[in-house]
Amino acid sequence: MAKVLTYRRLTDDVVAAPNQNSAIPANYRWQPTREFRLKADLVYGGSWLFAQGYCRIKLHVRNRQVFRQAAGRGYFVYGNHTQPFGDVFTPMRVNQSRRVFTLASAANLSVPVLGRLVPYGGGVLVPRRLHQLRDFNAEIRQLIQAKHVVMIYPEAHVWPYYTGIRPFEAGAFHYPVELDAPVFVTTMTYQKRHWRRKPRRILYVDGPFWPDCELPIKLRQEALAGQVKKTMVARASLSNAEYIRYQQKEGTCP
């Protein structure tokens, strides 16, 4: 029988960090110092090696070759957020030849021990304070210009083994529209196994999708979000195993 998790809304946090209200320090710097780069190279390098082994055993990838269509330029990847541990390492495995930077909540900093390593492992902390947005935006632009990969989980909150696609905002597509950068989609699906209750993980890669430059900026974001959502929903429908069952609490609205 599947484990049951309850929720009030599809935007709920069902896996919470020790301090969900953690904020980025006021003097935080996104543009790294030389000392930060040295530490980041060590942490990221170790994480990358672990990802190759861990994901080789645990993960099956379909269509990874589509990334070749973005050769010589930076790009964005959007994925469904269903693995608290695996979603950290999966992008490193899938985008093997590229350095991956993942947008992350400041709440991750409150996780004991590992939380401190998030920025060094490629986590780009998303600010809540308006005065920090300028530096954050500059960092995203720099990463794409340097031909890196920016990974975004637009559902924001992780729901382990969830087989649907939750709502996300068109605002999450501001950056590829602004930078006229290609977008790829990764969708984790869960398939039945005959010998184990825990399902097989199969990750599908689709794209590239491009902003429609003939549309106004807001409609450009909405159109891109619609393409990504449609792709994720189609791939998620391939799941045929329910390892965790999600039930909405009575008397609540989606």
Side-chain angles (χ1 to χ4, degrees), residues 27-37 40 101 119 123-125 131-143 145:
N27 61 348
Y28 185 82
R29 294 182 60 182
W30 279 268
Q31 285 67 42
T33 62
R34 185 173 181 275
E35 180 183 359
F36 181 95
R37 289 194 188 95
F101 295 83
V124 182
L125 300 180
H131 77 272
Q132 293 178 319
L133 279 175
R134 181 178 177 180
D135 287 344
F136 173 76
N137 292 341
E139 175 67 0
I140 299 299
R141 286 193 294 271
Q142 190 278 327
L143 292 175
Q145 289 167 1

